[in-house]
């Protein structure tokens, strides 16, 4: 038996992600060096672009809003031991719910349109995740594969819906009718001129509410407890009288509904109409955000802002340094997923050993374990 | 429809199913050894880029193919390091690989060639040319069988023939060799394999090396056979269709071939059916046909038509008892 001591809590939730992030940045920096640019200059540009002025910061928050939703979607499913890889598709079809309600109510007031659109987008996005959940719970098909397939089905469906159903006969571009001002989610710049022309809007309030809601749901309700039991040990949850299949279906629905909120931000807050591919990969960023944020709302908020800053700074980057395109951000994102998600085993064992040697009582224990005891 | 139309659809079917088939067989080796691979798409994309770039610079299709296979292999080994050695989550490793390939290919393509992510168009020798089988021209006059031989079977790229030969090779390796038996065993019950004194880790690495090489072939097919040069996101989700085909074929080589042909046929049909009016149904939306492979896979996975049960140890990193 090796003495296996878990890391101290702070190291687990802060030090390890920080190390992994550092490694991801280091590798990205090497890639930047490889193409003959200065990585430090690049970081400077990204930081200024993301936080340096009102417009940039507004854009950072706008991206972060999307990533909070998709990050929470991945995290909620992860707590129940499910990997929802279909946030992209769920957010995409949720656009249908959002745009239908917004177009129907755009003569009234956003205070009426927005809550109803939230419900509609949540219902449609939730449904798109419920089906894979149902298939896993009742028919035993793997939720990962099904949600991947549903991403592609969603994109075929949406191309059809936008082109054949939602597009007014008078326009050529593949997009729905424009939502009247009264049906749009108000921009933050209407209240604070600080944000300039950036599209950050009141959807960010829904995002903050979702962060708090998910925190309460997971750690302060019976349902959340049941979810975590299912995630930790499905057999135990069965013996405890929890209906695993019901839990899977409800959890996936919540997860999909959260992803669906992206549609509120994009359709009602930014584009003011339904356009093709408005999700733009936010569902996959959500995976990185949830991994970085350790599936905790506070972590997710921080990781979402980090990725929001990378996306906004990356836009800036390609203007300032023409040698670096914004795809560099996708590379960083992939490396973060790789190091924090798949290569967790890279630092953890050595960190655990280091911590054992650092604390005196653990050190003596470690030595006792590593020196062979005489057979009695 | 007359023979010429049918032949041209079937010809397109073969061309479109080839990369699916190569990727599907690639996934088969990995998944049969107990490693879920949703990174097929990324490996193909990376290979397509490397093949396109090297073929453009060197002017040799063979060097391009080699580069594609090398890049795909190293990407696979990175994924393997995460999924096998570090015992990380295989699915997340796959997601990371897909994203890494999507970002890197566009980024490097733009920086190196400055053509919006495209690699330069290939010269004559930089691209594989179709192979005319013996007597194809002489026999084309023979009724029915002649055109079938000269149009459908002859006149494809070498990678097409390699793909179909690989089906037979894979079936043989998997079911008739010691290596294949061990491969299937580590996917079903790694502990038993370990007890028999065979290294699970080594066996799994051997499997993914084959996966990497086959993905390299599939990726190269896009940029230096079917196309002339690499374009942004060239594989366009074909890696996921190959994954779907693998599940649909229940992880077996010969059914994999038929599934890939079916999915390739749907793809060919979709191009042909644009604005084409069918009797009874009317115009079929192209999107419906595009979504069909995914829908079929979901339906199959749900057990409504047969049951797809994957290798038992799939997705679980192997840890020896301490």
């Amino acid at each position: 038996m090796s003495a296996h001591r878990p890391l101290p809590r702070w190291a687990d939730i802060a030090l390890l992600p920080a190390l992994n992030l550092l490694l991801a940045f280091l590798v990205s920096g090497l890639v930047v060096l490889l193409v003959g640019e200065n990585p430090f200059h690049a970081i400077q540009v990204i930081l200024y672009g993301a936080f340096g002025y009102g417009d940039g910061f507004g854009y950072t928050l706008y991206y972060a809003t999307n990533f909070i939703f998709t990050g929470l979607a991945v995290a909620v499913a992860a707590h129940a031991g499910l990997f929802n890889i279909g946030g992209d598709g769920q957010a995409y079809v949720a656009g249908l719910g959002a745009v239908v309600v917004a177009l129907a109510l755009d003569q009234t007031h956003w205070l009426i349109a927005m809550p109803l659109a939230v419900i509609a987008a949540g219902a449609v996005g939730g449904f798109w995740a419920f089906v894979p959940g149902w298939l896993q719970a009742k028919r035993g098909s793997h939720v990962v594969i099904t949600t991947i397939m549903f991403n592609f089905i969603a994109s075929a469906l949406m191309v059809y819906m936008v082109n054949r159903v939602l597009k007014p006969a008078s326009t050529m571009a593949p997009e729905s009718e424009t939502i009247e001002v009264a049906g749009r989610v108000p921009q933050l710049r209407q209240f604070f001129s600080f944000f300039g022309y950036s599209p950050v809007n009141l959807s960010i309030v829904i995002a903050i509410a979702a962060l708090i809601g998910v925190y309460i749901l997971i750690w302060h309700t019976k349902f959340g407890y049941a979810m975590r039991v299912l995630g930790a040990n499905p057999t135990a949850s069965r013996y405890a009288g929890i209906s695993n299949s019901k839990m899977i279906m409800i959890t996936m629905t919540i997860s999909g509904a959260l992803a669906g909120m992206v549609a509120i931000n994009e359709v009602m807050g930014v584009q003011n109409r339904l356009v093709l591919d408005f999700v733009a990969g936010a569902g996959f960023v959500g995976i990185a955000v949830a991994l970085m944020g350790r599936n905790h709302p506070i972590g997710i908020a921080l990781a979402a802002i980090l990725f929001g800053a990378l996306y906004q700074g990356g836009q800036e980057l390609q203007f300032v340094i023409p040698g670096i395109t914004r795809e560099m951000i996708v590379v960083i994102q992939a490396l973060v997923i790789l190091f924090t998600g798949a290569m967790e085993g890279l630092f953890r064992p050595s960190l655990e050993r280091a911590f054992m040697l650092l604390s005196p009582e653990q050190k003596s224990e470690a030595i006792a374990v590593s020196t062979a005891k005489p057979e009695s | 429809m007359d023979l010429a139309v049918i032949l041209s659809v079937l010809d397109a079917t073969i061309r479109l199913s080839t990369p699916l088939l190569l990727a599907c067989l690639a996934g088969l080796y990995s998944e049969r050894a107990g490693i879920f691979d949703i990174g097929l798409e990324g490996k193909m994309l990376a290979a397509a880029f490397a093949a396109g770039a090297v073929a453009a610079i060197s002017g040799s299709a063979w060097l391009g193919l080699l580069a594609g296979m090398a890049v795909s292999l190293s990407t696979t080994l990175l994924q393997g390091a995460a999924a096998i050695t570090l015992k990380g989550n295989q699915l997340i490793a796959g997601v990371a690989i897909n994203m890494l390939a999507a970002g890197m290919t566009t980024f490097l393509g733009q920086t190196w060639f400055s053509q919006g992510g495209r690699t330069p168009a290939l010269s004559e020798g930089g691209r594989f040319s179709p192979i005319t089988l013996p007597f194809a021209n002489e026999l084309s006059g023979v009724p029915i069988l002649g055109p079938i031989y000269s149009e459908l079977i002859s006149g494809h790229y070498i990678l097409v023939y390699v793909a179909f030969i690989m089906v037979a090779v894979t079936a043989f390796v998997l079911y008739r060799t010691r290596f294949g038996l061990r491969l299937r065993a580590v996917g079903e019950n790694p502990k038993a394999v370990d007890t028999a004194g065979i290294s699970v880790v080594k066996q799994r690495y051997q499997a993914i090396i084959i996966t990497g090489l086959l993905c390299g072939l599939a990726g190269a097919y896009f940029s230096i056979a079917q196309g002339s040069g690499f374009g942004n996101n060239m594989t366009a989700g074909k890696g996921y269709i190959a994954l779907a085909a693998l599940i649909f074929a229940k992880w077996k080589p010969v059914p994999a071939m038929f599934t890939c042909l079916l999915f390739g046929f749907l793809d060919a049909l979709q191009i042909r059916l644009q604005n084409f009016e069918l009797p009874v149904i009317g115009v079929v939306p192209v999107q419906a046909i595009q979504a069909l492979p995914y829908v079929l896979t979901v339906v199959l996975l749900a057990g409504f038509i047969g049951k797809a049960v994957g290798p038992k140890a799939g997705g679980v990193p192997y840890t020896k008892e301490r």
Side-chain angles (χ1 to χ4, degrees), chain A residues 1-2 4 31-32 34-35 83 85 131 134-135 139-142 144-146 148-150 152-153 155-157 159-160 163-164 281 284-285 287-288 291 322-328 330-331 333-335 337-338 341-346, chain B residues 36 38 78-79 81-83 86-89 91-97 99-104 106-108 110-112 236-237 240-241 243-244 247 275 283-288 290-291 293-295 297-298 301-304 307 322:
Chain A
M1 277 292 290
S2 70
H4 182 79
V31 175
V32 172
L34 182 81
V35 299
F83 186 18
I85 207 167
V131 177
W134 176 74
L135 288 170
R139 313 286 314 187
S141 44
H142 203 302
V144 171
I145 305 291
T146 326
I148 291 178
M149 300 301 143
F150 265 60
F152 287 97
I153 299 173
S155 75
L157 174 76
V159 172
Y160 176 80
N163 277 313
R164 303 289 183 90
F284 289 97
V285 186
I287 299 171
L291 285 169
I324 305 177
T325 57
R326 57 188 294 261
E327 274 71 28
M328 193 62 224
V330 181
V331 174
Q333 183 184 315
L335 291 170
I337 294 183
L338 186 68
M343 290 195 165
E344 242 221 340
L346 204 56
Chain B
F36 279 153
I38 55 177
L78 179 67
Q79 193 184 353
L86 294 174
K87 302 186 175 74
N89 186 322
L91 299 166
I92 294 175
V95 172
I97 291 295
M99 225 177 254
L100 192 61
M104 277 294 229
T106 322
F107 174 63
L108 291 179
Q110 174 61 26
T111 341
W112 287 346
Y240 294 105
I241 299 207
L243 186 68
I247 297 163
N275 304 318
V283 176
V284 179
V286 183
Q287 291 81 20
Q290 281 170 344
Y294 306 112
V295 175
T297 306
V298 169
L301 263 179
F304 293 118
K307 187 95 189 131
R322 269 187 282 191

Side-chain angles (χ1 to χ4, degrees), chain A residues 20-175:
Chain A
N20 287 320
L21 188 66
L22 202 67
L23 188 62
F25 277 130
L26 215 64
V27 177
S28 316
L30 286 178
V31 175
V32 172
L33 264 182
L34 182 81
V35 299
E37 301 289 346
N38 181 352
F40 294 104
H41 184 211
I43 290 176
Q44 216 181 333
V45 172
I46 288 179
L47 282 179
Y48 179 74
F51 300 109
Y53 58 102
D55 265 296
F57 187 54
Y59 266 100
T60 299
L61 290 182
Y62 144 68
Y63 285 117
T65 309
N66 281 345
F67 302 156
I68 287 175
F69 290 133
T70 53
L72 284 176
V74 176
V76 165
H79 276 290
L82 301 160
F83 186 18
N84 178 11
I85 207 167
D88 243 45
Q90 290 141 20
Y92 202 3
V93 290
L96 283 180
V99 83
V100 166
V101 170
L103 285 175
L105 297 174
D106 65 358
Q107 305 298 335
T108 56
H109 193 269
W110 65 270
L111 273 174
I112 300 169
M114 189 166 138
L116 289 174
V118 165
I119 294 170
V124 179
F127 171 76
W128 209 249
F130 164 79
V131 177
W134 176 74
L135 288 170
Q136 159 124 13
K138 299 288 185 193
R139 313 286 314 187
S141 44
H142 203 302
V143 81
V144 171
I145 305 291
T146 326
T147 47
I148 291 178
M149 300 301 143
F150 265 60
N151 278 343
F152 287 97
I153 299 173
S155 75
L157 174 76
M158 292 300 282
V159 172
Y160 176 80
M161 290 303 285
V162 170
N163 277 313
R164 303 289 183 90
V165 183
L166 292 168
K167 191 177 76 161
S170 55
T171 54
M172 286 299 289
E175 54 190 38

Side-chain angles (χ1 to χ4, degrees), chain A residues 225-250:
Chain A
Y225 180 72
M227 249 169 74
R228 286 182 291 136
V229 175
L230 171 66
N233 188 340
T235 320
S237 75
R238 271 265 299 284
Y239 276 101
I242 296 165
S243 164
N244 284 0
S245 57
K246 208 168 108 191
M247 290 301 301
I248 290 173
M249 289 188 281
I250 300 175

Side-chain angles (χ1 to χ4, degrees), chain B residues 49-61 64 113 119-123 126-127 224 229-230:
Chain B
F49 175 73
V54 170
I57 294 167
S58 69
S60 157
F113 302 105
T119 60
L122 295 175
S123 56
R127 195 180 161 193
I224 60 173
F230 174 84

